[in-house]
Amino acid sequence: MQPGMLPEPVTRFAPSPTGLLHLGHAFSALTAWSRPGVCLLRIEDIDRPRCRPEFETAIFEDLRWLGLRWPEPVLRQSDRMEAYAAALARLIALGACYPCRCTRAEIRAALSAPQEGVASDIYPGTCRGRPMAAAGPGDAIRLDIARAQALAGPLQFTETGPLYPGQHVADASALGDVVLARRDIGTSYHIAVVVDDAAQGITEVVRGVDLFEVTPLHRLLQALLELSAPSYHHHRLIRDDLGRRLAKRDDARAIRRFRADGASPTEVAALVGITLPG
Ligand code: GLU
């Protein structure tokens, strides 16, 4: 499907086939499909060892059972590694990246050192400034966030969701020097998501509010890669009875458990506060 050929807004639902879809996914999917225009389905499977074909099949089945349909072919991120590598190469050519050889244990130790003050999980910058020419095969690639933001200049993003509507300053500095290419898979969610949102002509990203804080980074990568910038609609998260956000391990909340127990799509939608038409 060529970007620009679809009725707008074009949004998407982008699950990872690492487990069964649960009520939180049902809410996200129904929210995305309730927008006017068209909703695309994307399978986010860059983390191959954690993904299973049977979970991908279950995603299709559960979404169809909910009454949702999408244009084919479905984009699968594992088919797009070359596009992600090209985007990374561009960021490297801009001088916005450096190779990082720190292990998790080293980063943890640096962060808990007394002189660092309050512990945080922001990368302390140990490898910042290492030249790309010094990159070893086992290195991760990080974005030098200060340099990247200086290159891009001031940025904003538009939020259309009900939680934080309006224009937001896109300042990603609080995230620190994030990993753009993991040493195990050579890319990252952040690269894949901006490259694919642009390639699919997405005009409005509907997703959980847990990703609101990384949106400034996505806006920054879009600017550096000269990609189109969609608007964002971050929705509330579905929580369990103890107020914890649902995770893939919450099989009791899996859509297919409700199906097996005889619930209808309308009843499952009602559990997350959505009234299905008809
Ligand atoms: N693949 C992500 C997830 O399953 C969604 C990322 C996004 O919508 O940007 O949570």
Side-chain angles (χ1 to χ4, degrees):
M1 189 83 55
Q2 289 302 309
M5 312 267 301
L6 295 167
E8 294 198 3
V10 182
T11 187
R12 64 6 177 231
F13 179 59
S16 298
T18 53
L20 292 171
L21 296 188
H22 54 59
L23 287 183
H25 295 106
F27 179 69
S28 197
L30 290 167
T31 304
W33 263 277
S34 73
R35 309 294 294 156
V38 66
C39 184
L40 308 183
L41 178 61
R42 179 163 81 219
I43 298 295
E44 300 213 323
D45 60 349
I46 53 173
D47 199 349
R48 293 304 288 161
R50 292 183 57 232
C51 297
R52 301 261 179 285
E54 58 271 28
F55 290 137
E56 189 177 305
T57 307
I59 288 171
F60 298 143
E61 283 176 12
D62 288 345
L63 293 177
R64 281 200 191 100
W65 178 79
L66 280 172
L68 304 173
R69 301 290 180 271
W70 50 88
E72 300 280 353
V74 168
L75 187 141
R76 195 176 278 108
Q77 289 194 324
S78 54
D79 293 335
R80 305 255 309 140
M81 291 298 179
E82 280 177 22
Y84 310 146
L88 179 67
R90 222 172 138 180
L91 294 168
I92 290 172
L94 286 174
C97 301
Y98 61 87
C100 174
R101 57 184 164 197
C102 296
T103 63
R104 271 172 210 240
E106 283 166 351
I107 295 173
R108 225 177 298 124
L111 289 174
S112 59
Q115 68 272 22
E116 294 292 330
V118 183
S120 81
D121 57 2
I122 293 176
Y123 179 64
T126 320
C127 288
R128 189 181 304 131
R130 270 183 81 211
M132 281 307 300
D139 288 358
I141 308 295
R142 287 186 185 272
L143 184 67
D144 180 334
I145 203 85
R147 173 134 180 74
Q149 297 208 131
L151 283 169
L155 294 168
Q156 297 201 325
F157 68 92
T158 305
E159 176 67 39
T160 57
L163 300 174
Y164 310 111
Q167 285 290 111
H168 292 264
V169 171
D171 181 357
S173 43
L175 300 170
D177 292 354
V178 289
V179 170
L180 290 186
R182 283 164 41 175
R183 51 171 62 90
D184 55 343
I185 56 175
T187 189
S188 62
Y189 160 66
H190 301 304
I191 295 251
V193 76
V194 297
V195 168
D196 285 345
D197 283 339
Q200 292 190 286
I202 304 298
T203 62
E204 184 186 58
V205 170
V206 176
R207 62 186 182 187
V209 72
D210 52 326
L211 292 166
F212 184 78
E213 66 177 21
V214 294
T215 304
L217 170 64
H218 295 174
R219 183 68 199 91
L220 174 61
L221 294 176
Q222 286 152 1
L224 294 174
L225 293 168
E226 295 180 75
L227 301 174
S228 55
S231 62
Y232 289 85
H233 176 118
H234 290 94
H235 59 69
R236 68 185 168 90
L237 301 179
I238 301 297
R239 299 186 179 275
D240 66 14
D241 301 339
L242 296 174
R244 294 173 305 203
R245 110 174 230 235
L246 296 185
K248 294 262 166 63
R249 63 181 175 278
D250 288 312
D251 264 12
R253 309 285 169 142
I255 295 173
R256 40 190 57 204
R257 287 289 286 272
F258 292 97
R259 286 174 63 182
D261 291 346
S264 68
T266 305
E267 285 164 340
V268 166
L271 286 173
V272 293
I274 290 185
T275 308
L276 287 187

